[in-house]
Amino acid sequence: MELLSPAGNVEKLSYAYAYGADAAYIGLKKFSLRVKADNFYEDEYKKVIELKNKYPGKRLHCALNISFHDEEIDALKQNLDYFKQYPIDAFIVQDIGIVPLLQKEFPNAQLHLSTQASCVNSEAVKMYQKLGFSRIVLGREISLDQIKRIKDSVPDMELEAFVHGAMCIAYAGRCLMSAYLTGRSAQSGFCSHTCRWNFSVKEGKLTNEDDISPAKKLAQSGLLLLEEEQRKGEYFPVFEGDDFTAILSSKDLRMIDNLADFKAAGVDSLKIEGRMKSVYYVAMVTRAYRKALDAIEGKITAEEARPFIDELENVSHRESTSGFYYNKANADETTSGASDSKYQLAAEIEDEITGEAFEKIYELGQKNYSDFTSALEKMHPAAREARLKDLEIHTDRKVIPFEKNEGWKMYGMLPLNMIKCNENIEFVSPDFVSLTVTPDEYFIINPQTGTKLNWVCDGHPCVIYTKYTLSPASLLRTLDPDYVEGKIRDTGR
């Protein structure tokens, strides 16, 4: 089975491939249901081509899955020359109005039917096959038994199914809640995820009396108001009918321990949700499913895969469910709160620094230290004593060069969060689960001065010098100081 991972930008695409995805799906500006993701634009096709060359055999799928209006089809036609610069292997679409255009302009690209089309039966699959589709991304309102029936009926059609990530409570994600409450249509890629908001109920005043209960009367009156905790003073009307409620937040889908059942059902591609998720999410979730698949295929043992799978608990997530795959009742379970994790991604590890580049940083440190000590020696004794006392208080001002250590290696590093050099850090990579590194096993260095840093955060140029050998695409994570075990914070939507 193919492992298909999300990529909201070039950086995430790189990590998806590095951490084991066979294919990744991207969106292009204005034509994707995740317009809030970075998506791809301008000359990024050059970087994508480089990645495809770096990872031969990896596939690239492009989501053009909005519901197109005529003006959007016009815009698509105007951007065709730009799209053709991307090495796209398949387009994911829900609107059949653009199918003839894609078939004409991209004859070598496959057509994949988006889950937004809600295809959940074999007769529909046969119809889409006649239209030229080679793969169906099944609607998430389908069971594994139904998938097997479709595969048995149409064996030459590829079937793709979601296995991990956030789910929309609406049918195949076709939700009007966002458009109704905020004017942002999910079908145009602007979903505000209103089902995840935390609302309190405000009571209106009834004027008419009848036989129905006060609660039902209020719910059907149109006077029921919602106020979201971060949007004080902004009220949303809610009307309750006979068989529905307006606000439902679905649990996250997690099927990593059931992949053999997908294989038995005839699924060809396993899809991870999350083009708006972080680099850390893409890397860790992709890695876990890669190892789980490798175990099913006999490439590694289940025992070898398990530590990687267990790491899913260290990725932001909410309560999980098996969705519609086994029992519809599982899909009806809801939850509240945002995703959370005890870890934060602190830095991305870049290429190893060797040879002349390494020596330059080392020599800078030695020179700056020599200049610093020389300046101290030339000071008046009283001034020198005052300066030394100041350095004891403000340790960040000390000039401390690093010394060469046998077997240690230096890597470029892009900091993303606060790293304090007197605390443990952890490395994760495509090859090993995690590696805890103590303060005496690494130094963070300013490459512009060659001297040690006490701390670093986003925007600070730095390199890391450590006793450990790191594989390409390694990440550095730290414990989130604000995390509280057992309490899910509202850190985002």
Side-chain angles (χ1 to χ4, degrees):
M1 291 184 287
E2 173 190 83
L3 178 59
L4 177 60
S5 292
N9 56 33
V10 171
E11 183 184 25
K12 295 173 188 177
L13 179 63
S14 174
Y15 282 97
Y17 286 158
Y19 278 74
D22 298 304
Y25 60 102
I26 69 172
L28 296 174
K29 286 290 185 183
K30 301 180 182 179
F31 302 105
S32 160
L33 282 181
R34 293 295 179 268
V35 295
K36 288 176 66 180
D38 290 347
N39 289 321
F40 292 73
Y41 55 94
E42 295 179 352
D43 63 348
E44 288 187 334
Y45 65 89
K46 297 176 183 177
K47 298 176 183 177
V48 176
I49 292 172
E50 289 178 7
L51 285 173
K52 289 267 283 182
N53 291 333
K54 181 179 179 180
Y55 297 99
K58 304 281 188 179
R59 290 173 52 82
L60 182 70
H61 302 175
C62 177
L64 294 179
N65 53 352
I66 67 168
S67 296
F68 282 81
H69 294 275
D70 280 331
E71 57 269 24
E72 289 162 333
I73 293 180
D74 293 339
L76 176 63
K77 292 177 179 178
Q78 293 170 5
N79 285 275
L80 285 174
D81 289 340
Y82 168 68
F83 292 166
K84 288 178 180 179
Q85 297 177 100
Y86 281 86
I88 296 170
D89 297 296
F91 286 102
I92 307 168
V93 302
Q94 67 155 316
D95 192 329
I96 61 174
I98 66 169
V99 168
L101 178 64
L102 294 178
Q103 289 173 324
K104 175 185 176 182
E105 299 293 340
F106 301 89
N108 296 321
Q110 295 179 341
L111 286 177
H112 294 177
L113 184 71
S114 170
T115 189
Q116 299 293 123
S118 307
C119 185
V120 291
N121 67 74
S122 55
E123 295 305 315
V125 170
K126 293 174 184 177
M127 182 198 74
Y128 284 115
Q129 187 177 48
K130 292 177 182 178
L131 291 175
F133 286 87
S134 62
R135 177 182 295 188
I136 303 296
V137 186
L138 295 161
R140 282 179 274 185
E141 308 74 31
I142 194 169
S143 69
L144 286 169
D145 288 340
Q146 292 168 331
I147 292 175
K148 188 176 188 307
R149 177 174 175 176
I150 290 174
K151 191 64 174 181
D152 290 341
S153 178
V154 196
D156 53 343
M157 174 64 83
E158 292 183 358
L159 301 180
E160 180 177 305
F162 281 90
V163 291
H164 194 92
M167 291 200 303
C168 181
I169 200 69
Y171 199 80
R174 294 189 296 185
C175 179
L176 292 177
M177 187 187 302
S178 176
Y180 173 65
L181 294 182
T182 69
R184 290 166 48 182
S185 171
Q187 291 306 291
S188 295
F190 289 97
C191 183
S192 56
H193 303 285
T194 46
C195 64
R196 310 286 196 232
W197 294 359
N198 298 323
F199 291 95
S200 61
V201 178
K202 304 295 181 182
E203 184 176 347
K205 183 178 180 181
L206 294 172
T207 57
N208 298 318
E209 297 294 334
D210 53 36
D211 294 332
I212 63 174
S213 69
K216 178 65 71 175
K217 187 185 302 180
L218 176 61
Q220 294 185 349
S221 69
L223 297 176
L224 196 63
L225 306 175
L226 293 178
E227 181 184 45
E228 207 274 333
E229 65 176 357
Q230 295 183 23
R231 297 163 176 81
K232 298 295 185 182
E234 186 175 355
Y235 301 110
F236 300 105
V238 175
F239 178 83
E240 182 178 338
D242 293 331
D243 300 308
F244 67 89
T245 184
I247 308 297
L248 288 174
S249 179
S250 174
K251 292 183 178 181
D252 286 357
L253 183 65
R254 174 181 163 140
M255 298 299 294
I256 197 164
D257 293 318
N258 308 88
L259 300 188
D261 292 345
F262 283 83
K263 185 174 183 179
V267 173
D268 298 282
S269 180
L270 305 175
K271 189 168 193 172
I272 298 169
E273 180 274 338
R275 275 189 290 135
M276 292 175 62
K277 299 290 181 67
S278 68
V279 161
Y280 181 68
Y281 172 94
V282 170
M284 299 298 284
V285 176
T286 297
R287 186 182 71 168
Y289 277 84
R290 176 76 275 151
K291 299 300 182 181
L293 271 175
D294 288 348
I296 289 176
E297 295 169 358
K299 297 177 181 178
I300 60 175
T301 66
E303 291 73 20
E304 290 172 319
R306 179 47 56 181
F308 293 94
I309 295 172
D310 290 343
E311 277 290 321
L312 283 179
E313 292 302 313
N314 292 325
V315 182
S316 290
H317 65 282
R318 307 190 310 153
E319 291 182 284
S320 62
T321 176
S322 58
F324 292 84
Y325 287 124
Y326 295 108
N327 186 329
K328 182 179 179 294
N330 293 333
D332 291 337
E333 296 176 356
T334 61
T335 188
S336 62
S339 297
D340 208 357
S341 168
K342 69 178 182 179
Y343 284 103
Q344 60 184 4
L345 178 60
E348 297 172 6
I349 304 302
E350 299 173 335
D351 293 337
E352 183 181 356
I353 298 171
T354 60
E356 291 183 6
F358 174 89
E359 292 298 332
K360 181 179 179 181
I361 295 173
Y362 174 74
E363 291 168 5
L364 269 173
Q366 297 300 312
K367 181 180 184 304
N368 282 322
Y369 180 68
S370 176
D371 293 345
F372 172 73
T373 55
S374 177
L376 276 178
E377 291 172 358
K378 295 177 182 178
M379 284 182 177
H380 185 279
R384 181 167 59 249
E385 183 180 355
R387 176 65 168 150
L388 291 173
K389 286 182 178 179
D390 178 71
L391 291 173
E392 290 301 318
I393 299 172
H394 303 98
T395 56
D396 287 348
R397 298 174 184 175
K398 288 185 178 180
V399 177
I400 305 175
F402 73 96
E403 297 299 329
K404 295 179 181 179
N405 290 337
E406 184 68 29
W408 283 40
K409 297 180 182 295
M410 181 179 286
Y411 299 91
M413 189 169 82
L414 178 65
L416 302 170
N417 274 303
M418 171 71 75
I419 304 171
K420 298 178 181 179
C421 300
N422 62 347
E423 296 180 348
N424 289 354
I425 59 174
E426 287 188 37
F427 292 121
V428 295
S429 85
D431 305 315
F432 57 78
V433 178
S434 66
L435 178 64
T436 300
V437 182
T438 58
D440 61 328
E441 295 176 322
Y442 75 95
F443 301 128
I444 294 179
I445 299 163
N446 184 339
Q448 297 175 349
T449 64
T451 56
K452 297 179 185 178
L453 296 169
N454 291 335
W455 59 272
V456 70
C457 63
D458 185 18
H460 287 69
C462 65
V463 299
I464 189 165
Y465 190 44
T466 178
K467 64 182 290 185
Y468 295 103
T469 299
L470 302 176
S471 59
S474 293
L475 296 170
L476 190 162
R477 69 185 184 188
T478 56
L479 291 171
D480 188 333
D482 297 323
Y483 177 77
V484 178
E485 184 71 30
K487 180 181 179 181
I488 296 181
R489 299 166 293 168
D490 277 332
T491 56
R493 299 299 177 202

